[in-house]
Amino acid sequence: MITEDLLLSYGAEIKNYKANEIIFREGEFSLYYFQILKGKIKLNNYTEDGKEFIQNIFSDGHSFGESILFVDKPYPMNAIALNPSSVLRLPKPDFLNLLKENPDISLSIYHCLADRMYHKYIMFYNLSFQNPTSKLRLLMDYLKSYHEDKIPYSFQIPLTRQQLASLTGLRVETVIRVIKNMEKENVLKIVNRKIFY
């Protein structure tokens, strides 16, 4: 979204996180703009009984948690590195100054936030479905929408079955069963345990 050089010129630093390391916790106040150089970050919550609900997963080039920088409220989720990750971290005042001095970047941030709100609307609607196949198809359609090649089986789903379950509110056993049925119906292909949609 924002070039590495521009972020560094405004005072960003590169932070390295180990797999499963917490970047910020639910309830903490936002102090930084985060953008991934390399790695995968998940935003999640845990229910009272400890079940994980994944809000989103981000990878190279994506920013995360930036919407909270515009309100004086604590994070409503956690950010956790899924694998070893390098992240650019820019202090909030410097980020806001960068936006003031670079209107084209502001427009890009607004576009990104609008796209994420669109995703949230789809996912909230998705949660209302009772049919697990519909839930998984809607999620896979959304993920593939960012992939240029739209032909069948051209997109590898970048999530584990557990992550698909956590994103849709389904049990992992249900996800496994539905994916096998979707393969039988030629909706997707499974090659070496990887899902191609």
Side-chain angles (χ1 to χ4, degrees):
M1 280 185 40
I2 304 175
T3 65
E4 181 179 345
D5 290 342
L6 185 60
L7 287 169
L8 291 170
S9 74
Y10 274 83
E13 62 180 342
I14 298 171
K15 294 283 290 180
N16 294 306
Y17 297 94
K18 298 174 188 161
N20 300 315
E21 189 171 351
I22 296 171
I23 298 165
F24 58 74
R25 286 183 170 83
E26 182 178 353
E28 293 178 349
F29 278 83
S30 59
L31 301 174
Y32 299 97
Y33 168 80
F34 297 97
Q35 187 169 301
I36 305 166
L37 285 173
K38 186 169 178 54
K40 275 191 181 177
I41 308 297
K42 69 177 173 182
L43 300 183
N44 75 351
N45 297 95
Y46 295 98
T47 62
E48 289 178 6
D49 62 351
K51 184 179 178 187
E52 180 181 36
F53 178 75
I54 297 176
Q55 303 248 350
N56 215 330
I57 296 176
F58 299 103
S59 57
D60 302 5
H62 291 125
S63 59
F64 58 94
E66 69 275 14
S67 62
I68 310 302
L69 292 169
F70 299 104
V71 294
D72 191 27
K73 297 189 184 299
Y75 286 113
M77 73 291 204
N78 306 298
I80 301 170
L82 282 171
N83 55 21
S85 300
S86 295
V87 177
L88 281 161
R89 186 175 85 165
L90 180 65
K92 179 178 178 175
D94 298 323
F95 172 69
L96 296 175
N97 189 38
L98 183 153
L99 293 182
K100 283 180 194 168
E101 294 177 2
N102 297 276
D104 55 324
I105 302 272
S106 293
L107 193 57
S108 175
I109 294 286
Y110 298 147
H111 182 270
C112 175
L113 293 175
D115 188 60
R116 290 195 185 149
M117 285 302 299
Y118 177 76
H119 167 71
K120 288 290 182 197
Y121 291 137
I122 288 174
M123 291 310 295
F124 284 139
Y125 177 60
N126 190 8
L127 290 174
S128 70
F129 291 164
Q130 297 300 314
N131 182 325
T133 303
S134 297
K135 286 185 177 205
L136 286 170
R137 280 193 85 146
L138 190 63
L139 176 60
M140 291 180 188
D141 285 342
Y142 173 76
L143 294 170
K144 190 170 181 174
S145 72
Y146 291 99
H147 186 63
E148 287 187 26
D149 192 349
K150 303 298 183 208
I151 64 170
Y153 320 126
S154 64
F155 176 66
Q156 181 183 331
I157 301 295
L159 304 171
T160 65
R161 283 139 179 90
Q162 179 61 59
Q163 291 166 339
L164 289 169
S166 295
L167 277 164
T168 56
L170 298 169
R171 294 179 48 218
V172 69
E173 297 83 4
T174 303
V175 168
I176 291 166
R177 179 177 43 80
V178 169
I179 286 173
K180 285 179 183 175
N181 288 338
M182 290 171 78
E183 183 181 36
K184 287 177 189 170
E185 295 169 4
N186 295 317
V187 174
L188 55 79
K189 281 188 179 179
I190 300 172
V191 180
N192 297 327
R193 295 196 32 81
K194 296 185 182 346
I195 302 166
F196 291 87
Y197 184 66

